[in-house]
Amino acid sequence: VIAQDYGAIEVHFLGHRRDVGAILRDAADVCVASAREEALPLNVLEAQCVGVPLVVSDIPAHREALQPGTRPPVPVEDAAALADALLALRADPTARARAAAVREAARARFSM
């Protein structure tokens, strides 16, 4: 049962790519990490390091990786909360600028 119309959101599955950083930086509007558990969320770190807005699940590894200024995590396995977070990002004209502001903190903390 669909309780709410969430509108259209496009998702493209690109398969194995060697240019993930370039795709995140130049083509992605948002990075979604909805894992139930994870040890080291490289995708979350990479997205922050190139200034891409994030929607992540509320697990310890994501909370540890998130820099101040990022959106709060959404509850694990809560599809409605995930959809709401994506819609909020789509409606927020400052999301990309805030993600870019997080970039330097992420690079300072996590880059080699």
Side-chain angles (χ1 to χ4, degrees):
V1 175
I2 298 175
Q4 183 176 355
D5 176 17
Y6 290 108
I9 295 175
E10 287 187 43
V11 177
H12 300 274
F13 295 97
L14 303 178
H16 178 74
R17 300 290 298 247
R18 295 185 186 274
D19 57 345
V20 174
I23 291 169
L24 278 173
R25 183 189 65 239
D26 300 333
D29 295 317
V30 63
C31 176
V32 177
S34 59
R36 292 182 188 127
E37 58 184 60
E38 194 165 358
L40 179 63
L42 289 177
N43 58 336
V44 172
L45 300 177
E46 290 167 340
Q48 290 178 114
C49 285
V50 295
V52 173
L54 286 161
V55 174
V56 301
S57 54
D58 193 8
I59 61 173
H62 290 166
R63 287 192 304 271
E64 182 180 352
L66 289 179
Q67 298 303 297
T70 56
R71 301 182 68 77
V74 299
V76 175
E77 295 187 19
D78 187 339
L82 183 69
D84 289 341
L86 287 169
L87 287 173
L89 269 176
R90 183 173 67 180
D92 182 358
T94 65
R96 183 63 85 154
R98 281 196 324 278
V102 168
R103 180 176 45 223
E104 294 310 313
R107 287 179 178 178
R109 184 171 175 206
F110 294 109
S111 82
M112 294 174 58

